[in-house]
Amino acid sequence: MKNKLIVSLSPHVHSGDSVKRNMHGVLIALIPAFLTSLIYFGLGALIVTATSVAACLFFEWAINKFLLKNPEVSILDGSAVITGVLLAFNVPSNLPIWIIIIGALFAIGVGKMSFGGLGNNPFNPALIGRVFLLLSFPVQMTTWPTVGQITSYTDAATSATPLAIIKGLIQKTPGVSLDQLPDSLSLFIGDNAGSIGEISIVALLIGLAYMLYKRIISWHIPVSILVTIFAFSGIMHFYNPDIYVSPLYHLLTGGVMLGAVFMATDYSTSPMTKKGMLIYGICIGLLTVIIRMFGSYPEGVSFAILIMNAFTPLINMYCKPKRFGEVAKSK
């Protein structure tokens, strides 16, 4: 009797990978940045992060259960927790609780669940929530506590961020000088004002190294973003060093590292092919520098990523991998 050839759908060998495993891996990679935020912002960072995570979990559960009537809802895959953490990492540590709850509702309800939930959202939910809060509550979202106030929350003393100083140099604001910028070491370790999770470059690099080691992400998107920002801002600095700061400052300030590592690499909203990832990353880098230097906002990472999220389907359309066994058509 001859053996039967059994044909089935791929994959035939399971790699052991899963959405839950990757989400938990991202959460592990976020731990160094979270611990650093506790060191520099203390109680405020803890309150805002815990509130954001709890609100995201609740809203995802409530929307699934009461609006979508989905009996198989699961909030344990880690995606809602990541949205909550990343939303918190993109806001000041003195943000009032009621504002972060509104941001969580918008991130989950509009940015994620309105499109069908995990894997269907075209835009990064945490960035959707962050930009919504920035446009709705611009004063609260741009009031930055000075680092070192461990037990302070809403009454914390505030200061200007390095990006605000850089924008002041470009706009030739009286009283703003290059001497007001923190040194590179302070920017690298996180001793400067800013959003909760963006201040420490070394903590974010540790997270990047972990995700690359675990193959949760590939190098194409973060490296292409960082190289493009360094090159473009370097050209502008060479053109006029009096108002355009060193490209190193653009890499060490604001949400560049947080966005490049943890948000631009989101599976649902980034291209599938390596070529597409490089195009995507280069465009994000260019848009970030353009907005920072010529736009009205000091920061441009969030807007740049969301803009390129919209172009991801188009990139996927024109950067398709070659099909296995496909024969090229003769002209």
Side-chain angles (χ1 to χ4, degrees), residues 16 19 35 79 99 101 109 112 194 198 206 264 274 286 300 302:
V19 171
L35 294 177
S79 61
I99 293 182
I101 292 175
K112 182 179 180 182
E198 71 181 20
I206 292 172
K274 294 178 180 178
L286 290 172
S302 297

Side-chain angles (χ1 to χ4, degrees), residues 73-193:
V73 60
S74 173
I75 58 173
L76 301 178
D77 59 13
S79 61
V81 177
I82 290 177
T83 298
V85 172
L86 290 178
L87 176 60
F89 277 16
N90 276 277
V91 302
S93 62
N94 62 346
L95 193 69
I97 288 178
W98 62 274
I99 293 182
I100 194 66
I101 292 175
I102 292 175
L105 174 59
F106 199 85
I108 295 294
V110 177
K112 182 179 180 182
M113 303 309 296
S114 64
F115 293 101
L118 180 64
N120 298 309
N121 51 291
F123 301 98
N124 185 286
L127 287 181
I128 287 286
R130 193 256 178 184
V131 170
F132 171 76
L133 292 182
L134 181 62
L135 298 177
S136 302
F137 309 99
V139 176
Q140 295 90 333
M141 284 290 291
T142 54
T143 302
W144 312 100
T146 304
V147 297
Q149 302 173 89
I150 306 302
T151 58
S152 300
Y153 175 40
T154 55
D155 58 344
T158 60
S159 62
T161 64
L163 278 180
I165 298 172
I166 292 174
K167 176 60 75 172
L169 290 172
I170 295 174
Q171 296 177 341
K172 298 181 180 180
T173 304
V176 178
S177 66
L178 191 61
D179 297 334
Q180 295 174 306
L181 280 174
D183 59 84
S184 298
L185 180 60
S186 297
L187 294 172
F188 190 71
I189 63 175
D191 190 11
N192 62 93

